[in-house]
């Protein structure tokens, strides 16, 4: 606008435009963050961190877009009736497209962030973000405002929008066929307490997934008994084994249905994803402290059986396996069977019923102090949040604390 020497008469319009243009840009970024592209995962240090950023970017876009209609309408004050009617449908077709887009955005954000739905239903609602993107493009074109009038601004926004459209088509339509996809089948599915262990073997042995300790995969089961939307699970088997093992706690209808799986049923596997264990390779001089809460043990099961991981640099690894009651430690015997060498891997079982909640003080006592160590935490969000805060208060830098979300 400075270049064309054009300015708004109403100063509130600048705030409205910051809202619309800022929200449009962030929405495009949210689509990019949903694609699971390796370059994006590397940039954020793990796909779990990418999705946290995706959530924050989406929330920021939502609150920013609210500035747009509010500050376009504020000029109508102090007359409240025209101010309020500005937010509803009228004979102004341009404004109507914006209202439809805004209402859809509010509904989708509410469903995504604040309303509890079953996972597969919640997952399906994300398809409507493509419709929202289309409405935003239509509104920009029919409004014939700055983005259409200023060539550089138009090129900037339509470039981002084109990338966002491609990302939506890729993750919603193409990913199922051209993503990092492997065909597996169920070898066996034994139950261990309230945990279902799925052993998966590749349909074509030469075409199998290669993973690093601590990574996870997305799985989709080809059976009429289980809905087909992909779910993420940590790999609990170490690299190099002929099968993949995932250990799933039965927390709801979908996970409970996994017990109906039989040998030979097909599984689509995407991945691997995650950089949970990369910190230990980046800092080989630090002794790892692996802190697992319940089923959060699964990525650590792959680590403690990986010789390259455990013996790297001659360091000592401590594994703290925390459960509420001792009989919930379903993998206690498996860990004990590893013929533990106290100079290499130290196993520390913990029961919150008997010993209280995990604290930095308890950990320091069991692992010989907090200095010279890096801490990997996986488990329920309250456990990870409280321990991260407690460790920081005890002098552990945030760069030495890694969580798997």
């Amino acid at each position: 606008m400075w270049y064309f020497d054009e300015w708004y008469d109403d100063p509130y319009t600048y705030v409205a435009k910051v809202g619309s243009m800022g929200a449009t840009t962030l929405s495009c970024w949210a689509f990019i963050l949903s694609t699971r592209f390796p370059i994006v995962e590397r940039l954020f240090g793990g796909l779990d961190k990418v999705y946290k950023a995706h959530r924050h970017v989406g929330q920021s876009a939502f609150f920013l877009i609210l500035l747009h209609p509010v500050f376009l309408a504020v000029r109508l004050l102090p007359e409240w009736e025209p101010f309020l009617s500005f937010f509803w449908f009228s004979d102004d077709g341009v404004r109507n497209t914006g209202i439809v887009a805004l209402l859809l955005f509010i509904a989708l954000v509410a469903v995504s962030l604040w309303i509890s739905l079953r996972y597969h239903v919640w997952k399906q609602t994300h398809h409507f973000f493509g419709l929202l993107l289309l409405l935003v493009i239509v509104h920009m074109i029919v409004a014939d405002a700055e983005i259409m009038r200023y060539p550089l601004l138009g090129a900037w926004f339509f470039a981002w929008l084109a990338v966002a459209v491609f990302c939506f088509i890729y993750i919603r339509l193409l990913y199922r066929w051209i993503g990092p996809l492997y065909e597996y089948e169920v070898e066996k599915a034994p139950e261990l307490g309230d945990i279902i262990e799925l052993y998966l073997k590749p349909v074509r042995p030469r075409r199998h997934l290669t993973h690093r300790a601590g990574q996870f995969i997305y799985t989709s089961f080809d059976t009429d008994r289980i809905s087909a939307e992909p779910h993420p699970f940590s790999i609990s088997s170490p690299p190099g084994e002929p099968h993949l093992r995932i250990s799933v706690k039965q927390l709801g209808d979908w996970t409970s249905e996994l017990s109906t799986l039989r040998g030979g049923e097909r599984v689509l596997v995407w991945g691997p994803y995650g950089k949970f264990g990369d910190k230990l390779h980046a800092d080989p001089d630090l002794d790892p402290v692996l802190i697992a809460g319940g089923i959060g043990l699964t990525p650590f099961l792959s680590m403690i059986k990986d010789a390259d991981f455990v013996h790297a640099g001659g360091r000592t690894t401590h594994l703290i396996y925390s459960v509420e009651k001792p009989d919930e430690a379903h993998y206690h015997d498996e860990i004990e069977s590893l013929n533990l060498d106290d100079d290499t891997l130290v196993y520390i079982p913990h029961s919150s019923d008997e010993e209280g909640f995990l604290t930095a003080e308890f950990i320091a006592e069991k692992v010989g102090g907090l200095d010279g160590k890096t801490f990997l935490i996986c488990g329920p969000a309250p456990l990870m949040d409280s321990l991260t805060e407690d460790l920081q208060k005890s002098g552990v830098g945030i760069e030495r604390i890694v969580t798997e979300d």
Side-chain angles (χ1 to χ4, degrees):
M1 295 183 74
W2 166 82
Y3 180 83
F4 289 98
D5 195 27
E6 296 179 9
W7 309 99
Y8 299 125
D9 295 329
D10 181 0
Y12 289 119
T13 307
Y14 290 103
V15 183
K17 297 299 181 179
V18 166
S20 62
M21 295 182 186
T24 301
T25 304
L26 289 178
S27 296
C28 293
W29 293 357
F31 279 100
I32 296 170
L33 293 172
S34 72
T35 56
R36 304 174 193 161
F37 288 145
I39 189 172
V40 177
E41 185 181 17
R42 285 197 299 271
L43 182 64
F44 283 81
L47 193 61
D48 56 324
K49 307 302 183 290
V50 173
Y51 277 120
K52 290 182 77 171
H54 170 77
R55 178 188 179 97
H56 294 317
V57 166
Q59 284 179 311
S60 300
F62 172 72
F63 290 115
L64 263 181
I65 197 60
L66 297 179
L67 297 177
H68 185 63
V70 169
F71 281 89
L72 285 180
V74 76
R75 58 184 170 78
L76 301 172
L77 292 174
E79 300 296 327
W80 282 99
E81 184 176 348
F83 174 80
L84 294 175
S85 64
F86 186 86
F87 300 95
W88 197 242
F89 299 102
S90 66
D91 56 1
D92 185 342
V94 173
R95 198 167 77 208
N96 289 343
T97 61
I99 291 173
V100 172
L102 181 62
L103 291 176
L104 181 59
F105 199 4
I106 291 172
L108 290 175
V109 169
V111 166
S112 296
L113 302 178
W114 302 312
I115 298 176
S116 179
L117 296 175
R118 288 187 176 184
Y119 180 83
H120 71 279
V121 176
W122 172 85
K123 192 87 171 175
Q124 293 302 318
T125 63
H126 275 54
H127 291 303
F128 289 99
F129 278 103
L131 175 60
L132 176 63
L133 184 62
L134 180 62
L135 284 171
V136 169
I137 295 172
V138 169
H139 181 69
M140 287 169 51
I141 293 173
V142 299
D144 196 29
E146 296 79 12
I147 289 175
M148 299 302 295
R149 293 204 309 269
Y150 302 138
L152 185 59
L153 194 63
W156 169 262
F157 273 99
F158 280 102
W160 280 119
L161 288 164
V163 171
V165 169
F166 168 77
C167 289
F168 178 81
I169 293 172
Y170 170 77
I171 198 63
R172 296 294 161 193
L173 299 176
L174 303 180
Y175 179 78
R176 194 168 184 86
W177 292 279
I178 65 173
L181 175 64
Y182 302 86
E183 286 187 89
Y184 275 73
E185 64 182 19
V186 176
E187 185 175 23
K188 56 183 178 178
E191 295 187 40
L192 189 62
D194 59 354
I195 294 172
I196 301 168
E197 292 196 301
L198 296 176
Y199 289 80
L200 311 177
K201 63 179 180 181
V203 173
R204 296 188 296 273
R206 292 187 179 182
R207 171 69 177 163
H208 63 89
L209 180 144
T210 302
H211 71 283
R212 300 190 307 277
Q215 290 193 294
F216 65 92
I217 54 176
Y218 279 85
T219 59
S220 174
F221 297 93
D222 186 15
T223 170
D224 294 335
R225 301 186 303 279
I226 302 173
S227 58
E229 74 276 357
H231 285 65
F233 295 107
S234 293
I235 303 171
S236 56
S237 54
E241 288 202 355
H243 62 261
L244 292 176
R245 181 179 70 167
I246 58 176
S247 306
V248 185
K249 186 170 184 177
Q250 300 180 58
L251 295 171
D253 293 341
W254 191 90
T255 50
S256 297
E257 289 170 354
L258 295 181
S259 62
T260 67
L261 289 170
R262 298 292 178 262
E265 294 189 300
R266 293 297 178 94
V267 187
L268 297 179
V269 173
W270 291 268
Y273 296 106
K275 297 187 176 295
F276 190 36
D278 288 8
K279 178 68 175 175
L280 302 185
H281 296 292
D283 294 321
D285 296 332
L286 297 175
D287 285 341
V289 179
L290 315 179
I291 305 170
I295 197 61
L297 179 73
T298 50
F300 299 133
L301 289 174
S302 71
M303 293 181 185
I304 61 177
K305 293 184 179 181
D306 179 12
D308 292 338
F309 186 93
V310 174
H311 297 288
R315 61 195 176 191
T316 299
T317 298
H318 291 83
L319 170 64
I320 301 175
Y321 181 20
S322 178
V323 293
E324 186 176 347
K325 302 174 182 177
D327 61 1
E328 294 176 355
H330 300 301
Y331 290 96
H332 175 81
D333 291 342
E334 180 174 325
I335 298 170
E336 287 277 331
S337 70
L338 296 178
N339 297 318
L340 301 175
D341 178 353
D342 286 346
D343 293 331
T344 303
L345 177 63
V346 180
Y347 171 45
I348 305 167
H350 173 267
S351 165
S352 58
D353 271 4
E354 296 180 354
E355 301 172 270
F357 292 116
L358 276 179
T359 62
E361 181 181 5
F362 174 90
I363 295 169
E365 178 185 340
K366 294 294 184 179
V367 305
L370 303 179
D371 293 336
K373 296 178 177 64
T374 187
F375 300 86
L376 275 69
I377 311 172
C378 184
L383 169 75
M384 294 194 293
D385 293 341
S386 63
L387 268 185
T388 298
E389 182 180 356
D390 200 20
L391 287 168
Q392 286 186 268
K393 287 181 179 178
S394 301
V396 179
I398 191 62
E399 74 282 353
R400 290 198 284 127
I401 304 172
V402 185
T403 59
E404 170 59 79
D405 297 305

